[in-house]
Amino acid sequence: MSDELLRVGKLGKRFGGFVALDNVSLTVRAGERLGLIGPNGSGKTTLINCITGALFNDQGTIHFDGRDVTLLPPFQRARAGMARTFQIPRPFRSMTVLENLQVPLEYAARGPSGRRAVDEALEVLEVIGLRERAQEDSARLTQIDMRKLELARAMAAKPRLLISDEAMAGLSSNEVDDVLGILRRLNDTGITIIMIEHIMHAVMRFSERVICLDAGQIICEGTPQSIVQDAGVQRAYLGA
Amino acid sequence: MFSADLLANAVVSGILLGGFYAAVTIGLAIVFGQLDIVNIAHPAFIIVGAYVAYILNSHFGLDPVLVGIVAAPVFFFAGALIYRVYFFAFERTGQESLSGLAFFFGLMFIIEVVLILIYGVDYRLVQADYIGQTWRVGFVDFPLRMLVPFAVSLALTVAIHAYMSRTFIGRAIQAVAQDRVALQLMGADPVRIKQWAFGLGIATAAIAGSLLIVIGPVEPSVGRQYIGRVFAIVVLGGMGSIQGMFIAALILGVVESMVSTFAGPSWSPAVAFGVLALTLALRPAGLFGRQ
Amino acid sequence: MKPVAFWGALAAVLAAGLALTSVVANEYYYNALYVILQATMMAVAWNILGGFTGYVNFGSAGFFAIGAYTTVALNKALGLPLPLLILAGGAVGGLVGLGLGYLTLRLKGVYFAIATLAMAIVVETLVNNWSYVGGAKGSYMLTPEKHLWFDSYIQMLFVVMLLLTLSAVAVSRALSSSRLGRGLAAIRDDEVAAECAGVPTLRLKLVSTTVMGAMMGIAGAPFPYFVTYVEPGSAFSLFIAVNAIAMPMIGGTAHWLGPVIGALLVGTTQEIVKVTVSSEMNVLIVGVMLVVFITLAPQGIVGVARKYLRRRAA
């Protein structure tokens, strides 16, 4: 039990009459690389919104590191070690790239302020390949650089669990490889990673375990190889 | 001090007042309730409507309510024009929440000061045969200066409700706020729909203004007292619900009339905000609101 | 701006203000300067919530009047000296800001804006019905005999207001470049992303409304001594609320210098127009300037200047 980092129990979420999540349960081990797949509208983003607290779930519980976080506001979950990227980038538009990273460094990671925070932010930017853009206005970045900034900002929170919500959409295959490499190295340092992705070969290559959602329910779970062969997954994706 | 006829008169005059509040609010129920545009200058446009009625009534002796109805198309075009500016300057660039709010605040202020510069701060009133008359049923008074606005307001509410639910444009206006996909399927351009709806909202201000000056004399800063009332009514009624708005208007009218009768008229400005604060604290979706 | 330059500039302004009192005797100038300083302080206060945090306050006049009427009430009840009255005005204004924020900041920003308007009218209704502080008729304030080493009471009030305004500017600048300021800016840019980056948004918004309310209360506290006759119409004047919004919007809301520049520009224009044209015209000018600026230059003077500098640098 001690290496269990996240446990989601019987999670339910409705929007009006629409059931977005129905009785979803899953656990994630510390240090695991979990892939989350499913067709559009299957509830993947709603699930991470509930996990990180951007939405409150109607039913069920969320435990993080043995602690019940179901009712905690998002900022406390961030401080407990959850970080995420947004599918559509949401940079702090009035700030420079560097300042964007100072916010999670100073708040989520409760790191040092001032000079040392700047140094740490620059290190993260170096890793992600945005170092030379540090002083630019984040609102003026290209879409691709904004995706990188999303990931950099999540890394700057020094999380124990990093949830990447389609961080690779629109990237070239070289850039996908770069991002996979970065996530892999983060994972090597002990950070647990949940990856939501439409680029199937990337998820399959990266994940140790894959969960497939459809219409708000988990329809199957297993190793990448077993998922590819699963009839239910094929039906969900091919719409048979 | 408490007596049955005092209570009955307070309730009746509250209902008449509340009915009139519906006319004042209905434009904002469209603009704020449906389009999410926080036009805090709406009461200022109503004051402009009241002054138009005053000018044409005092110069040509025209019936104020008739003036309001005739002036409505002009207000419609002015509203459409203002929406254009609002769209290009704020909505398109995503600056509604700060600059957009300040824009309407500035407009409200300009309208008030221009009216003061031209007409001063004296109270203005209109002449019409029915204004001084009162019908009496038992011990309850029905002053026509209240009854006429009530009737016109009721007609206006019914007409707008029918327009919103029965016509293509009306349904498109409702879709603009709630269901972008449906709007696209209808093949409607959201900006033009919003422009039309905003124009419609301002057009009602012409009629509401004429009713306001039938009820009592008007001076430029009277509009400010209505900011709290109109927002309280829209929020209490539930954003986007015309029936809810009408019922909320009646509730506010009755509560205000009671407070004014039993605690004194100087307390009535605070009633609307009390209602607003309670609604926001207890039931932010309002009585009949969409979520 | 470098810290040395900033503190040097503040000291220079204070020294100039003190020097003025030993050179110029004409009371008109102190009256005019007091009005400009008071507006500057209100603009700086408004900007802490409006500019830094992104929440619009329409009820500035309410907070201002709370400060003013705290002075009226405590002066009548206890006869406190001015410094304590200023502190009290700040405390009450801050508490009202905190309470209002607590009630409405969970809701959408729009409702906060409407609630501030509501607060101003509710407080005005209370004051109108509260005969102890003069009710709707208003009340006279006796100008104290003592005015330190200054030649007149208005000179002393001017210096007090100068000190208060400079302190407000210093607080605003310290806030904007701090960890707290970055948290507020994150809230303004994207509240959900801010929460997910670990920013306690509700707590920071409450800090922001409290500081704003306190600053406005402080700005209003000496007002009864300045006008010597306070009535609700002048203390709750819409003009105060419009100026508090217009000045930062015109100067630029994102930078601490914006409201100061806006207030000095608009405030000086107003004082000149008041003398040369009429006071109604002076009121109209603010409204027109506000609408023109936010429509054509939403980033304000500071924003335009920055864009120009950046283009020259590039």
Side-chain angles (χ1 to χ4, degrees):
Chain A
M1 284 302 280
S2 64
D3 70 342
E4 175 187 294
L5 184 65
L6 177 73
R7 181 154 49 88
V8 172
K10 298 187 174 169
L11 210 63
K13 177 74 193 172
R14 300 168 156 269
F15 297 106
F18 175 71
V19 180
L21 290 177
D22 182 15
N23 210 14
V24 172
S25 297
L26 60 91
T27 55
V28 184
R29 279 182 294 107
E32 194 177 359
R33 298 189 301 275
L34 176 72
L36 194 58
I37 62 169
N40 280 327
S42 59
K44 301 181 303 274
T45 297
T46 306
L47 177 60
I48 47 166
N49 278 339
C50 287
I51 292 175
T52 55
L55 288 175
F56 281 108
N57 47 298
D58 305 325
Q59 283 144 21
T61 54
I62 300 157
H63 284 79
F64 185 69
D65 199 19
R67 177 171 162 217
D68 187 348
V69 297
T70 315
L71 295 173
L72 289 187
F75 84 91
Q76 285 184 356
R77 302 188 200 195
R79 288 178 171 187
M82 283 188 199
R84 67 172 295 184
T85 69
F86 289 96
Q87 195 178 354
I88 297 157
R90 301 174 80 155
F92 300 129
R93 305 185 77 88
S94 72
M95 302 185 198
T96 64
V97 170
L98 183 71
E99 287 166 339
N100 261 275
L101 267 60
Q102 279 176 272
V103 174
L105 271 170
E106 288 171 338
Y107 282 95
R110 309 227 211 179
S113 212
R115 189 69 244 158
R116 281 181 48 213
V118 171
D119 290 342
E120 286 190 33
L122 286 173
E123 278 170 35
V124 176
L125 288 177
E126 182 77 58
V127 173
I128 209 89
L130 281 177
R131 172 90 195 224
E132 63 279 15
R133 303 232 180 284
Q135 297 302 337
E136 272 182 37
D137 283 346
S138 61
R140 293 147 74 102
L141 292 179
T142 62
Q143 272 301 310
I144 289 170
D145 283 346
M146 274 196 194
R147 288 193 177 280
K148 290 184 179 170
L149 176 59
E150 276 293 320
L151 196 54
R153 200 171 59 185
M155 287 161 64
K158 298 189 185 159
R160 303 174 58 200
L161 168 67
L162 192 155
I163 304 175
S164 151
D165 191 358
E166 299 200 20
M168 288 176 259
L171 301 193
S172 73
S173 67
N174 276 341
E175 285 167 323
V176 168
D177 287 344
D178 285 350
V179 172
L180 282 179
I182 292 164
L183 290 176
R184 200 55 200 254
R185 279 196 296 282
L186 286 174
N187 182 244
D188 287 341
T189 65
I191 297 173
T192 310
I193 289 172
I194 297 178
M195 177 193 283
I196 295 181
E197 203 54 68
H198 263 118
I199 307 174
M200 210 41 78
H201 69 88
V203 199
M204 293 305 170
R205 215 167 80 205
F206 180 79
S207 312
E208 296 167 298
R209 183 162 64 105
V210 175
I211 286 176
C212 181
L213 274 180
D214 187 30
Q217 291 179 313
I218 293 181
I219 56 167
C220 85
E221 179 179 344
T223 61
Q225 293 85 343
S226 69
I227 290 287
V228 176
Q229 283 148 13
D230 187 275
V233 175
Q234 290 184 354
R235 206 167 32 242
Y237 270 89
L238 301 173
Chain B
M1 291 301 283
F2 191 85
S3 66
D5 64 334
L6 201 57
L7 181 66
N9 274 301
V11 171
V12 167
S13 71
I15 288 172
L16 295 180
L17 184 68
F20 158 70
Y21 284 169
V24 175
T25 312
I26 197 159
L28 195 76
I30 298 170
V31 166
F32 179 49
Q34 303 283 7
L35 312 182
D36 276 333
I37 299 172
V38 191
N39 177 16
I40 61 164
H42 191 73
F45 290 109
I46 291 172
I47 300 299
V48 175
Y51 271 83
V52 170
Y54 156 71
I55 294 160
L56 295 183
N57 176 269
S58 59
H59 281 74
F60 306 107
L62 296 175
D63 179 80
V65 179
L66 187 69
V67 172
I69 293 167
V70 172
V74 181
F75 274 59
F76 177 91
F77 284 110
L81 198 70
I82 289 167
Y83 179 74
R84 283 259 113 167
V85 175
Y86 177 80
F87 173 76
F88 280 108
F90 312 112
E91 215 168 59
R92 202 178 40 142
T93 51
Q95 311 215 18
E96 307 98 301
S97 64
L98 194 67
S99 303
L101 265 176
F103 172 72
F104 285 117
F105 191 68
L107 272 190
M108 169 186 105
F109 195 64
I110 290 173
I111 290 173
E112 187 177 320
V113 176
V114 166
L115 285 175
I116 291 176
L117 281 172
I118 302 175
Y119 297 102
V121 291
D122 304 328
Y123 279 93
R124 307 285 166 169
L125 46 88
V126 288
Q127 311 288 336
D129 293 338
Y130 46 81
I131 285 177
Q133 297 177 24
T134 295
W135 291 349
R136 206 146 212 271
V137 180
F139 51 75
V140 180
D141 287 336
F142 289 89
L144 287 195
R145 63 170 183 85
M146 299 296 297
L147 199 57
V148 169
F150 179 86
V152 174
S153 178
L154 187 61
L156 180 67
T157 308
V158 170
I160 295 273
H161 180 63
Y163 182 79
M164 296 296 274
S165 53
R166 301 257 169 87
T167 66
F168 177 81
I169 296 179
R171 280 199 290 264
I173 291 171
Q174 289 185 298
V176 113
Q178 297 165 33
D179 195 346
R180 293 245 154 204
V181 181
L183 191 70
Q184 278 168 1
L185 292 177
M186 292 167 87
D189 171 7
V191 176
R192 291 188 57 186
I193 293 293
K194 283 180 151 191
Q195 186 177 329
W196 184 273
F198 197 91
L200 189 64
I202 300 301
T204 67
I207 298 170
S210 71
L211 303 181
L212 176 67
I213 202 164
V214 165
I215 286 183
V218 169
E219 55 102 8
S221 74
V222 164
R224 265 185 270 150
Q225 298 169 11
Y226 280 88
I227 298 175
R229 290 193 182 118
V230 291
F231 278 98
I233 291 169
V234 174
V235 173
L236 179 64
M239 300 281 284
S241 163
I242 302 284
Q243 303 107 299
M245 183 281 296
F246 192 77
I247 292 166
L250 292 183
I251 292 173
L252 185 71
V254 171
V255 175
E256 257 189 32
S257 171
M258 298 288 221
V259 168
S260 176
T261 306
F262 296 106
S266 63
W267 287 101
S268 65
V271 171
F273 287 116
V275 169
L276 181 64
L278 280 178
T279 311
L280 291 181
L282 302 176
R283 201 179 158 84
L287 296 177
F288 307 93
R290 57 178 159 101
Q291 279 205 317
Chain C
M1 199 184 274
K2 293 260 165 56
V4 184
F6 174 76
W7 292 107
L10 284 201
V13 171
L14 184 59
L18 286 170
L20 190 72
T21 57
S22 55
V23 181
V24 178
N26 188 339
E27 291 203 349
Y28 164 76
Y29 293 103
Y30 298 104
N31 275 304
L33 285 171
Y34 182 93
V35 170
I36 294 173
L37 286 171
Q38 173 186 297
T40 309
M41 187 160 175
M42 291 296 288
V44 168
W46 185 91
N47 201 51
I48 285 174
L49 188 67
F52 295 170
T53 324
Y55 279 77
V56 176
N57 168 17
F58 285 129
S60 305
F63 286 103
F64 178 86
I66 284 169
Y69 274 98
T70 303
T71 291
V72 174
L74 288 181
N75 178 56
K76 194 172 172 189
L78 307 167
L80 296 182
L82 187 60
L84 286 182
L85 291 172
I86 289 171
L87 281 180
V92 179
L95 277 176
V96 172
L98 181 67
L100 194 66
Y102 190 79
L103 279 177
T104 56
L105 281 173
R106 282 165 233 261
L107 302 164
K108 279 202 297 185
V110 168
Y111 292 125
F112 176 79
I114 298 167
T116 55
L117 205 61
M119 183 279 298
I121 295 199
V122 169
V123 177
E124 188 173 356
T125 309
L126 288 176
V127 169
N128 267 321
N129 286 287
W130 189 20
S131 55
Y132 186 74
V133 293
K137 291 196 304 290
S139 66
Y140 284 98
M141 288 291 287
L142 287 177
T143 308
E145 293 292 317
K146 285 185 290 184
H147 34 75
L148 302 177
W149 63 86
F150 297 101
D151 296 336
S152 63
Y153 196 76
I154 181 68
Q155 284 193 8
M156 192 194 80
L157 267 188
F158 156 70
V159 172
V160 167
M161 203 37 146
L162 183 60
L163 265 175
L164 292 176
T165 307
L166 293 178
S167 315
V169 171
V171 168
S172 161
R173 175 179 170 276
L175 207 61
S176 73
S177 56
S178 68
R179 174 177 181 269
L180 180 59
R182 255 189 301 284
L184 298 180
I187 292 172
R188 176 190 63 205
D189 288 353
D190 190 326
E191 220 162 308
V192 174
E195 273 274 335
C196 288
V199 178
T201 55
L202 182 61
R203 195 184 311 158
L204 259 55
K205 286 190 285 183
L206 289 177
V207 169
S208 188
T209 47
T210 308
V211 172
M212 175 206 66
M215 250 184 213
M216 289 185 172
I218 289 174
F223 183 70
Y225 288 109
F226 175 68
V227 285
T228 66
Y229 170 69
V230 223
E231 42 98 24
S234 66
F236 289 92
S237 162
L238 184 65
F239 189 49
I240 293 173
V242 174
N243 265 345
I245 294 176
M247 289 169 171
M249 285 286 188
I250 290 166
T253 52
H255 197 272
W256 64 267
L257 201 53
V260 180
I261 290 177
L264 293 181
L265 179 77
V266 179
T268 312
T269 314
Q270 283 171 346
E271 287 306 310
I272 294 168
V273 171
K274 205 195 283 179
V275 179
T276 55
V277 192
S278 74
S279 59
E280 279 86 12
M281 206 39 130
N282 136 44
V283 176
L284 182 62
I285 282 172
V286 207
V288 174
M289 276 175 89
L290 170 64
V291 169
V292 167
F293 259 89
I294 56 180
T295 313
L296 301 178
Q299 310 304 319
I301 294 171
V302 170
V304 171
R306 272 179 161 180
K307 204 181 276 179
Y308 175 74
L309 289 176
R310 192 180 295 142
R311 203 168 293 162
R312 271 196 18 179

